[in-house]
């Protein structure tokens, strides 16, 4: 994965995030006008690139709804490195300090995730056939316009369903391979409403000849796993039963919870843990 983007309502709220992060010592780049949304970027302590992207205006800004993804789209020159002023962009921020993260700044979960592939065709076929996503945009990486950038999403002809947007940069076949490590996304999970829907997805994926794991009980949800043609580990997890299955919702996260099969070794597990600082 290259980065993970979280959604925010609009550009004004996004600028508040920039000011808030900057004032807490986190360097932020942007906001960049991407056409479909505006983006700011920063990194977590492990170096994972995070983005906060505005909800709109969406993918229909430069081609009709019913023809999304059918033709290559060139971004405006003003969106590309040669046409934008990094100095002006760096100066853009909320005019006053932000005292606290307020409800207007609420992040709407995953806006999109972006990875790399050395075969956009194979990746596209996988995301369309295996996961039912639709190609909604064929364009270029606006920070590196020699690289293609394709977007897939759950799209009903009018709107892109939130949390469904997978995007990929097209890298050459001789590009270096990703490795697991700190600062790298381990896997990407999509949601199933319940176990019945998850089993239907599993049958569908098996029918395509994919190697799908058995259903695994993760205590808080059930999970199945498989890999994209690029090797990305993908999960489909059920929404239920959720994190309050073994803890009071008011005190979530305050004690060490272990699955039943590890509970018998609690003393041993606790002795090996380092305290959180
Ligand atoms: Fe992004
Ligand atoms: Fe997971």
């Amino acid at each position: 994965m290259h980065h993970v983007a979280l959604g925010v309502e609009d550009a004004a709220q996004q600028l508040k995030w920039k000011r808030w992060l900057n004032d807490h010592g986190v360097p932020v780049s942007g906001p960049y006008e991407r056409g479909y949304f505006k983006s700011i970027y920063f990194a977590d302590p492990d170096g994972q690139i995070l983005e906060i992207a505005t909800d709109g205006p969406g993918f229909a800004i430069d081609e009709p709804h019913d023809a999304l993804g059918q033709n290559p789209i060139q971004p405006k020159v003003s969106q590309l490195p040669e046409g934008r002023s990094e100095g002006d962009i760096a100066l853009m921020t909320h005019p006053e300090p932000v005292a606290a993260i307020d409800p207007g700044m609420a992040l709407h979960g995953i806006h999109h995730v972006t990875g790399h592939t050395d075969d956009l065709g194979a990746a596209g076929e996988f995301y369309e056939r295996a996961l039912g996503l639709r190609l909604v945009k064929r364009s270029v990486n606006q920070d590196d316009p020699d690289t293609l950038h394709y977007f897939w999403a759950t799209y009903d002809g009018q709107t892109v369903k939130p949390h469904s947007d997978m995007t990929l940069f097209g890298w050459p076949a001789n590009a270096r391979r990703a490795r697991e490590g700190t600062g790298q996304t381990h896997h990407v999970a999509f949601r199933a409403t319940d176990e019945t829907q998850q089993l239907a997805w599993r049958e569908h994926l098996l029918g395509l000849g994919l190697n799908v794991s058995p259903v695994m009980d993760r205590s808080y949800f059930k999970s199945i796993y498989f890999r994209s043609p690029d090797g990305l580990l993908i999960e489909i997890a059920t929404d239920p039963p959720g994190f309050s299955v073994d803890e009071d919702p008011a005190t979530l996260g305050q004690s060490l919870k272990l699955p039943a099969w590890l509970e018998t070794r609690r003393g041993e597990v606790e002795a090996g843990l380092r305290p959180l600082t």
Side-chain angles (χ1 to χ4, degrees):
M1 300 310 297
H2 183 270
H3 64 269
V4 176
L6 302 165
V8 74
E9 185 177 357
D10 58 27
Q13 303 298 339
Q14 185 185 54
L15 280 186
K16 286 164 78 176
W17 274 108
K18 180 177 178 180
R19 182 67 192 253
W20 168 263
L21 290 164
N22 276 163
D23 288 352
H24 286 79
V26 179
V28 176
S29 63
Y32 290 106
E33 175 55 75
R34 300 310 199 186
Y36 318 114
F37 41 80
K38 291 183 168 67
S39 302
I40 62 171
Y41 302 89
F42 50 103
D44 78 4
D46 290 313
Q48 169 76 65
I49 300 172
L50 298 171
E51 171 181 352
I52 294 178
T54 58
D55 287 348
F59 292 114
I61 193 159
D62 56 8
E63 56 185 340
H65 268 120
D66 57 5
L68 288 183
Q70 290 181 16
N71 293 299
I73 301 287
Q74 274 301 321
K76 293 179 188 161
V77 172
S78 61
Q79 293 166 218
L80 300 175
E82 73 256 35
R84 64 195 190 209
S85 165
E86 295 293 342
D88 289 350
I89 290 168
L91 287 173
M92 289 177 68
T93 195
H94 189 69
E96 296 137 25
V98 176
I101 297 171
D102 62 50
M105 294 168 71
L107 298 172
H108 313 326
I110 304 288
H111 185 290
H112 61 271
V113 293
T114 295
H116 306 95
T117 180
D118 60 6
D119 189 339
L120 277 169
E125 185 177 324
F126 170 80
Y127 287 110
E128 288 162 48
R129 289 187 69 207
L131 292 180
L133 302 178
R134 280 189 55 186
L135 183 63
V136 292
K137 194 65 65 182
R138 293 162 55 198
S139 190
V140 299
N141 179 350
Q142 296 182 16
D143 298 331
D144 174 19
D146 293 332
T147 297
L148 291 172
H149 189 189
Y150 283 20
F151 297 72
W152 292 265
T154 304
Y155 169 63
D156 63 6
Q158 291 296 316
T159 54
V160 170
K161 193 173 178 195
H163 313 164
S164 71
D165 190 355
M166 166 70 74
T167 99
L168 291 173
F169 296 136
W171 278 24
N174 60 358
R176 62 187 185 274
R177 302 293 301 175
R179 288 189 303 176
E180 262 188 39
T182 52
Q184 176 57 275
T185 301
H186 184 272
H187 61 275
V188 173
F190 291 87
R191 296 167 72 165
T193 52
D194 56 27
E195 291 177 42
T196 305
Q197 192 185 67
Q198 182 184 56
L199 286 174
W201 276 108
R202 187 166 187 277
E203 289 304 310
H204 164 72
L205 295 164
L206 288 171
L208 294 175
L210 289 166
N211 187 10
V212 188
S213 78
V215 175
M216 302 200 189
D217 186 348
R218 301 312 199 187
S219 302
Y220 312 111
F221 41 85
K222 291 193 171 170
S223 300
I224 58 172
Y225 301 90
F226 48 100
R227 288 189 184 273
S228 78
D230 292 300
L232 176 67
L233 186 61
I234 298 178
E235 172 181 358
I236 295 178
T238 58
D239 282 344
F243 290 114
S244 61
V245 71
D246 60 359
E247 278 185 296
D248 189 313
T251 56
L252 285 182
Q254 293 180 18
S255 59
L256 177 68
K257 308 308 293 184
L258 296 173
W261 60 275
L262 270 178
E263 193 58 56
T264 53
R265 293 169 55 196
R266 175 171 282 274
E268 184 190 337
V269 171
E270 287 185 341
L273 292 176
R274 286 170 298 170
L276 288 172
T277 52

